[in-house]
Amino acid sequence: MKLSKPVVLGIGAAAVLVAAVLGWRLVLAHRALPEGLIQVNGRIEGDQVSVASKLAGRIAELKVREGDSVQAGQVLAVMDAAQIQAKVEQAQAAVTALASQRAAVETALGALRRQVPLDQAAADTGVSQAAAVKTKADAARAQAERDAQRLEDLAQRGSVPVQRAEQARLAATAAAADAAAAQEALARAKVMSAQAGLGADRIRAQESQLAAVTAQQAQAQATLAEAQSVLNDLSLKAPSAGVVVTRVREPGEIVGAGSPIVELVDLDHLYLKAYVPEAQIGRLRLGLPAQVWTDAFPGQAFAATVKNIGQRAEFTPKEVQTPDERVKLTYAVKLYLDQNPEHRLTPGVPADAVVRWKDGVAWQQPRW
């Protein structure tokens, strides 16, 4: 049976198509990774940190530019601190003044604590001496009164001259005056002793003044610490080592509290955000090992770990490749790098990765 020319051409075309499909399948079979490995690709990313000021104000200085590497604690920007600096100086002056006042109160209290016992002792001695003088004066008065009375009796009987009786009466009157003076002296000594006893109250009053000054000093120190803390906050520091990815503001701009000024990426916590086809996502679980490959470092694999798996499918981004281009839905997976030696990897770098979901399978490079 002789076939027509169109039929022969159709059979030939079909054979060519079958050969092409079989050849493509052989190529895919050769390129595909063995069972237990999944290859994905995406871009290196990192958790961004926004560095912002706690207070509203004007940016006085920006010390970094985009792409600069920074260390933890490095000053990135400085806010205008003129007003806060004035408050710090004012608080410092108050602390200094109260410290001097407290020192003066402490000195006075110390002197008072030494002086009061001495004054009390002297006053008590004065009372004792005055009491002794009064006792002697009372005895002399009593004796002079008896002598005067006896001589007066004798003078009336004519046994002694009247003049002698008058002298005795005069002596008794003088002794009575001395006794009265001694009584007054004793009363004054007791008053002085009582006044000396008020020294304890003076000490307590001085102690209360010291406590008040101490409290004021503590309050002034707290005010100073608060002002100094605010001043320190005006120097914006990097919370961790990283790279400046965005300089949001420029020097001279007025920013509000919490407004981002610089954005950083921590180079010690980078991850590859890759996309896994919907048909393969069931093979992945958290904690699986992975290896990341980049064109910048051919032949070098960077160890990584699966630490995040997307909960919802999404359309495959245009820049992401999949073995089957017909795949439309994929799941985002984050492969966190275990290390980033010498910070060689940076955000934005495209990379391929291989995830091992079955133990014992030998690692192989991606085959795109």
Side-chain angles (χ1 to χ4, degrees):
M1 178 178 179
K2 186 176 182 181
L3 298 176
S4 62
K5 185 175 182 180
V7 173
V8 173
L9 293 176
I11 294 175
V16 171
L17 179 60
V18 171
V21 170
L22 292 176
W24 178 247
R25 287 184 176 179
L26 289 174
V27 171
L28 288 179
H30 177 71
R31 293 173 58 191
L33 293 176
E35 182 74 7
L37 300 178
I38 297 176
Q39 61 185 33
V40 294
N41 75 338
R43 289 186 178 275
I44 300 293
E45 297 183 10
D47 296 328
Q48 292 193 1
V49 177
S50 294
V51 179
S53 173
K54 292 183 179 180
L55 303 174
R58 182 180 64 84
I59 301 175
E61 184 180 3
L62 269 176
K63 296 180 176 292
V64 293
R65 294 191 174 275
E66 294 177 355
D68 288 351
S69 297
V70 299
Q71 300 299 320
Q74 179 178 336
V75 177
L76 307 180
V78 178
M79 304 294 292
D80 184 13
Q83 294 180 346
I84 302 301
Q85 182 64 47
K87 290 183 178 180
V88 169
E89 294 174 356
Q90 181 180 4
Q92 182 62 63
V95 169
T96 302
L98 286 169
S100 299
Q101 184 178 351
R102 180 182 177 183
V105 173
E106 287 178 337
T107 300
L109 179 59
L112 195 60
R113 285 171 173 169
R114 293 189 298 272
Q115 185 64 36
V116 165
L118 296 177
D119 292 344
Q120 186 66 59
D124 292 342
T125 300
V127 170
S128 298
Q129 291 177 347
V133 171
K134 180 180 180 300
T135 299
K136 183 178 180 181
D138 288 342
R141 178 186 61 77
Q143 183 62 45
E145 181 63 30
R146 287 193 296 271
D147 291 344
Q149 186 64 44
R150 184 174 60 255
L151 289 173
E152 287 175 350
D153 292 342
L154 292 174
Q156 289 179 356
R157 292 195 296 269
S159 299
V160 297
V162 175
Q163 183 179 6
R164 187 176 177 184
E166 291 177 349
Q167 291 176 347
R169 175 53 59 188
L170 181 61
T173 301
D178 290 342
Q183 178 64 39
E184 293 178 358
L186 178 59
R188 289 195 299 270
K190 289 181 177 180
V191 170
M192 294 180 64
S193 178
Q195 291 178 344
L198 296 177
D201 294 335
R202 293 164 56 195
I203 290 177
R204 286 191 291 271
Q206 197 73 8
E207 289 173 343
S208 297
Q209 184 178 358
L210 177 61
V213 173
T214 302
Q216 293 174 359
Q217 185 182 22
Q219 183 178 2
Q221 289 173 338
T223 302
L224 174 61
E226 181 182 7
Q228 187 64 54
S229 176
V230 174
L231 182 63
N232 294 339
D233 288 339
L234 295 181
S235 294
L236 309 184
K237 300 178 181 180
S240 60
V243 171
V244 179
V245 293
T246 308
R247 200 163 94 155
V248 183
R249 300 288 188 173
E250 295 298 327
E253 292 189 45
I254 305 296
V255 297
S259 178
I261 296 177
V262 175
E263 291 186 347
L264 307 176
V265 170
D266 187 355
L267 295 183
D268 290 321
H269 297 86
L270 296 182
Y271 59 87
L272 173 66
K273 188 175 183 180
Y275 293 85
V276 178
E278 188 176 19
Q280 295 180 322
I281 193 64
R283 299 173 178 174
L284 297 188
R285 63 183 182 275
L286 298 180
L288 287 177
Q291 288 187 347
V292 177
W293 305 76
T294 64
D295 293 337
F297 302 99
Q300 181 178 1
F302 295 87
T305 304
V306 178
K307 292 188 177 181
N308 183 276
I309 300 175
Q311 299 298 313
R312 297 181 180 180
E314 54 186 283
F315 288 103
T316 308
K318 294 181 180 180
E319 69 273 12
V320 174
Q321 300 177 8
T322 61
D324 188 348
E325 293 302 328
R326 295 173 300 174
V327 173
K328 297 299 182 183
L329 293 179
T330 56
Y331 285 80
V333 176
K334 292 183 179 180
L335 310 178
Y336 276 82
L337 297 170
D338 297 345
Q339 292 181 342
N340 185 11
E342 300 177 1
H343 291 170
R344 284 179 287 180
L345 296 179
T346 56
V349 174
D352 301 321
V354 174
V355 181
R356 183 166 65 188
W357 58 273
K358 182 181 293 186
D359 295 337
V361 179
W363 288 107
Q364 296 190 22
Q365 295 189 28
R367 300 176 183 176
W368 294 108

